[in-house]
Structure formats: structure tokens, C-alpha cells
Amino acid sequence: MAEVLEGSELKVIAFDVFGTVVDWHSGIAAEAERLLPGIDGGAFALAWRAGYQPAMKGVMERLAAGEGGFTLLDELHMGILGDVLRDFGVADLDADTKRELNRAWHRLPAWPDAVEGLARLKRRYTICTLSNGNIGLLTEMAKRAGLPWDCVLSAEVFKAYKPDPRTYLGVAAVFDVTPGQVMLAAAHHDDLAAARACGLRTGYIERPLEFGPGRPKDVSPQPDNTLHARDIGALADLLGC
Amino acid sequence: MAEVLEGSELKVIAFDVFGTVVDWHSGIAAEAERLLPGIDGGAFALAWRAGYQPAMKGVMERLAAGEGGFTLLDELHMGILGDVLRDFGVADLDADTKRELNRAWHRLPAWPDAVEGLARLKRRYTICTLSNGNIGLLTEMAKRAGLPWDCVLSAEVFKAYKPDPRTYLGVAAVFDVTPGQVMLAAAHHDDLAAARACGLRTGYIERPLEFGPGRPKDVSPQPDNTLHARDIGALADLLGC
């Protein structure tokens, strides 16, 4: 793969987290079933995650219009959770259980290849998160799952959310390297496209079961990505780590 | 030591870095002697560090007056370095060597007890940096020295420098805990006093040789600190880790 990285020595790999490094569908489904007996955990997880894009769009619009400050993902998740609980007929959940359920996003399990794959990449590259998740969430998740980040970067550091260019270019600035010396690794083509537009290299990570076994995802390669890898171990293989 | 932590379960230990976790005097002295043959490395290190407080004071005053943006510690160090090189009669140093010398702050050695002490504390607490050093500097330092931070926090995250309350309170906010659930560990009483004024617990770490063997430091206990430890291993002992 030396040819695709030609002209710019790769220094930093920034990882999208939800879906790419951790399995939010299984994690949320299991915690929902534990805390809300009788619920369909998989459906609950999909409903909660489906609320993310519209809620984030609203936050970004208000931020751009100067009408609101920065919102932590924990707060965003809590707002969506209220609606999802209502839709699932459990609107009367007590505050402590609701808070514990919201914290399920801090306790998501890593995909089975993630910890070892990251450890291999870490030997040669600086590896960090680049997620719209807040720092506290990402740190607790890493501590529990054993994700060996060199550094936890987040929308919270840049006060801008992906796909804002300030996040991708912010990674390069933090490490004092060129955008071409940074790769974004993600399971989502829109995230990768936004990073590519900023000059970053891109590594697509297949996660066919991101939305659960009932909703397999198209993981076909897209030619604009620098690398295409089955999982994080395969990314380490491609990079010769 | 349970009694001193009564009433608030400690969750997070934030560490000052320069002098507390890493030995800037030896590290800078050695790199100065390597890159500037014939120089007195120890004196060079002291002169460079002595420029820090006045330079940081200027940056904080300009920031408070709205006259300047946030300055990375790498830039601050580079500015001071120009003056120190002139004072040591090497003002004509080429740009590449000057940059490499400035990066010596990224390559500082950990105090011998730091890596193991932090690893012990990490098993029970979230451990992070809280330094005026920039994120890239702290990350490269940790990677080289093997410092096992859960998270790299910095003035760069809070867009405010210690001893601004936003930094100490920012740590509590990031982890969604009360100030009393955070301890600042530092080798400097002024840093600890500012943290204490924000409601944080404080752990003093003795570093009698911070300024080199020729300038031993008074490391007497001050009664206002929650804990007083010879080094980071001793802090882990006191906390029962």
C-alpha cells in the first residue's frame, strides 16, 4: 500500500468511534433490555440512534446562527431518549434509571478486532478519536473497553461537530502535521468524504452489522477512499503494522 | 487516608506535568548539550524555564484584554528560546535545529516513579493531565515516555491557562463530577492553592530536584493540601491503590 500513501508520510490515524470502533447497536440493545424489561432492545437502539442525525442537525444550525452554545453528546442523547421512551410507552421512567440508560453510550463494547488492531497501529502511528461524542464519554468508554488511544479528541475540543472542516483540520493542527499526514478511519462514507475534502487520507472500515443482524449494511468499496479494510486488524495489515 | 477524603468519593486525578510527572531540567539540559555543543545545559534549562512565567503572564493578560488568541505552549517556548539563545551567544542557530530543540519539551523523561505510579492509580481512578502544555506536546510526551493517561486535558481544551478556575472546574465538568471528586496532583503549591480555591482535593508531590541537583527545592508539607506524597508511587500508597 506504499503507493497510495506516496508523497506524504502518514503520522496520525483519527478514528470515528460509534459504529467504527464500538458496536452501539448490541450495546444499547443489551442495556435497554436490562433496564427496561420486556422491551425490544434492537428496535430501541435503532430508534435512539435514528434520532441522532436530526437532533445534531438542529444543534449545528443553532450553533451556526449564534443561538446556542456547544451541546455535549450526553445531553443530546438524553433529549432524544425522552422521545424514544415515550414512543416505547415508558415515558414515566425514573430519573436515575434514565440517567443510567443514557450512560449506556459510555459502556459500549468494542468490536472484537478493535483493541488488538489499535494496539498494532499505535506502535507506528499516533492514534486518536475524532468523534462527536464528548470527552468524558469517550474516556470512560476507552477505559472500560481497553481502547489504547494516545489522545481523546472530540467535537468538544474543537467546539465544532463533524462534518465541520474545523474538526478534521483540527486534528492536523493539534499534532502540527499536514492534513495529508492524517488518516480518518470510519465506517461511514459521508464522514470520510468530508475528511477527504479537507485533504486527509481516508480508511473505510467495513461494519456490516452496525445496525444489527436484521439490517445488514452495504459495505462495498468506494474508489475515493485511500484504503478499504474489513476491520481495524485488516487496516493494520494494509499499513504493514 | 480515608478520613481526608470523607464526604466525597474521589473519581479523577488530574496531574500537573512539567516538574510533577516529567523531569524538565534533566531533559532540556541533555538536549541542549546535544544540540548546542559546549553549552552549560543545566543553566540553559533554567534560563528557558525562567522565561515561562513572564511570557505566560503576558499571554494571559492579552487574552483577558481580548487582544490576542490562544497561544500554544510550543509557540511560547519558541519565543522564549530566541531570547535564551541570544543570551547564550548562539543567536544564529539554524531554523531546523531551533525547531528540534524546541521539541525537546515533547521528549522529556518521566521521573522514575511516574509510569508505574500512574498505572496503579489508573486501576481505580480516571487519570488525566491538566497542563498548560498543548495537546500535541503532551500526547507525544506520553507516547514516548509510556505515561498511561486515560485522557490528555490541557489549557488548549479549555482555552484558558492554569491558574484560571476554568481549567480546574473544566476537569470536573468534562467528567460530570463535582470539584470535590477531582484531585489535582502537582509539585507546585501555587497550582494546588488555585485548585483548592475551586473545591478540588490536592495532592502535593515532592520533586526536590526539579531545578537540578544544584538548586534543591523546599518540599516541606503545607497543611492545606489533602495529601502530601514523596512521589507518585507514594500517592498510590496513600490512596490504597
Side-chain angles (χ1 to χ4, degrees):
Chain A
M1 282 295 147
E3 72 280 8
V4 295
L5 294 170
E6 198 174 11
S8 169
E9 195 193 348
L10 186 64
K11 299 277 193 186
V12 177
I13 308 179
F15 283 81
D16 173 64
V17 173
F18 298 105
T20 301
V21 178
V22 297
D23 176 2
W24 59 264
H25 184 272
S26 296
I28 296 298
E31 294 258 14
E33 290 177 5
R34 178 174 72 83
L35 292 165
L36 308 170
I39 216 90
D40 176 344
F44 194 92
L46 289 173
W48 203 350
R49 183 66 173 170
Y52 168 78
Q53 288 292 355
M56 179 53 79
K57 188 161 174 285
V59 165
M60 289 178 76
E61 284 169 0
R62 288 194 294 280
L63 193 62
E67 289 167 6
F70 186 82
T71 304
L72 299 184
L73 187 62
D74 277 338
E75 301 166 33
L76 197 79
H77 278 152
M78 186 59 99
I80 305 163
L81 177 57
D83 295 341
V84 177
L85 286 170
R86 190 195 58 223
D87 293 347
F88 279 72
V90 276
D92 59 344
L93 196 66
D94 67 277
D96 282 352
T97 308
K98 199 171 164 189
R99 181 179 151 88
E100 188 181 353
L101 185 53
N102 201 50
R103 288 275 183 145
W105 295 93
H106 295 218
R107 299 187 293 265
L108 298 177
W111 292 108
D113 52 281
V115 171
E116 189 189 334
L118 291 174
R120 288 170 61 198
L121 291 165
K122 183 176 179 167
R123 292 199 288 266
R124 184 176 308 170
Y125 302 103
T126 294
I127 59 166
C128 64
T129 58
L130 181 62
S131 168
N132 284 344
N134 41 298
I135 302 172
L137 181 160
L138 295 169
T139 300
E140 186 176 354
M141 172 196 285
K143 200 167 174 68
R144 294 179 62 99
L147 303 170
W149 306 119
D150 287 310
C151 181
V152 172
L153 293 182
S154 153
E156 191 180 357
V157 173
F158 303 116
K159 297 293 183 282
Y161 304 94
K162 292 193 293 182
D164 189 306
R166 284 173 289 183
T167 58
Y168 307 108
L169 296 175
V171 176
V174 157
F175 296 113
D176 194 18
V177 298
T178 65
Q181 292 178 312
V182 181
M183 174 176 283
L184 180 73
H188 312 115
H189 287 299
D190 53 349
D191 195 4
L192 295 168
R196 189 164 47 244
C198 293
L200 276 70
R201 310 295 172 127
T202 57
Y204 180 75
I205 310 292
E206 295 183 4
R207 293 298 183 197
L209 300 183
E210 176 176 359
F211 298 95
R215 285 179 55 178
K217 193 173 84 169
D218 177 8
V219 294
S220 319
Q222 294 203 2
D224 288 342
N225 290 317
T226 317
L227 297 174
H228 178 103
R230 187 173 45 77
D231 60 21
I232 298 175
L235 182 67
D237 290 341
L238 289 170
L239 290 167
C241 293
Chain B
M1 282 295 148
E3 71 281 7
V4 294
L5 295 170
E6 198 174 9
S8 168
E9 195 192 348
L10 187 64
K11 298 277 193 186
V12 177
I13 308 179
F15 283 82
D16 172 63
V17 173
F18 298 106
T20 300
V21 178
V22 297
D23 176 2
W24 59 264
H25 184 271
S26 295
I28 296 298
E31 294 258 15
E33 290 178 5
R34 178 174 72 82
L35 292 165
L36 307 169
I39 216 91
D40 176 344
F44 194 91
L46 289 173
W48 202 350
R49 184 66 173 170
Y52 169 78
Q53 289 291 356
M56 179 53 79
K57 189 160 174 283
V59 165
M60 291 179 75
E61 284 169 0
R62 287 194 294 279
L63 193 63
E67 291 168 4
F70 186 83
T71 304
L72 299 183
L73 187 61
D74 277 338
E75 301 166 34
L76 198 78
H77 278 152
M78 186 60 98
I80 305 163
L81 177 58
D83 295 341
V84 176
L85 286 170
R86 190 196 58 223
D87 293 347
F88 279 73
V90 277
D92 59 346
L93 196 66
D94 66 278
D96 282 352
T97 307
K98 198 172 164 188
R99 181 178 151 88
E100 189 181 352
L101 184 54
N102 201 49
R103 289 274 183 148
W105 294 93
H106 295 217
R107 299 188 294 264
L108 298 177
W111 291 108
D113 53 281
V115 172
E116 189 190 334
L118 291 174
R120 288 170 60 198
L121 291 166
K122 183 175 179 166
R123 291 199 289 266
R124 184 175 308 171
Y125 303 103
T126 294
I127 59 166
C128 65
T129 58
L130 182 63
S131 167
N132 284 344
N134 42 298
I135 301 172
L137 180 160
L138 295 168
T139 300
E140 186 176 355
M141 173 197 284
K143 201 167 172 66
R144 295 178 61 99
L147 303 170
W149 305 120
D150 286 310
C151 182
V152 172
L153 293 181
S154 153
E156 189 180 358
V157 173
F158 303 116
K159 296 294 184 281
Y161 305 93
K162 290 193 295 182
D164 189 307
R166 285 174 288 182
T167 59
Y168 307 108
L169 296 174
V171 176
V174 157
F175 296 113
D176 194 19
V177 297
T178 65
Q181 291 178 313
V182 180
M183 174 177 283
L184 181 73
H188 311 115
H189 287 298
D190 53 349
D191 194 5
L192 295 168
R196 189 163 49 244
C198 293
L200 277 69
R201 310 294 172 130
T202 56
Y204 180 75
I205 310 293
E206 296 184 3
R207 293 300 184 195
L209 300 183
E210 176 177 358
F211 298 95
R215 285 179 54 179
K217 194 172 83 168
D218 177 8
V219 294
S220 318
Q222 295 203 0
D224 288 340
N225 290 316
T226 317
L227 297 175
H228 178 103
R230 188 174 41 79
D231 59 22
I232 299 175
L235 182 66
D237 290 341
L238 289 171
L239 289 166
C241 293

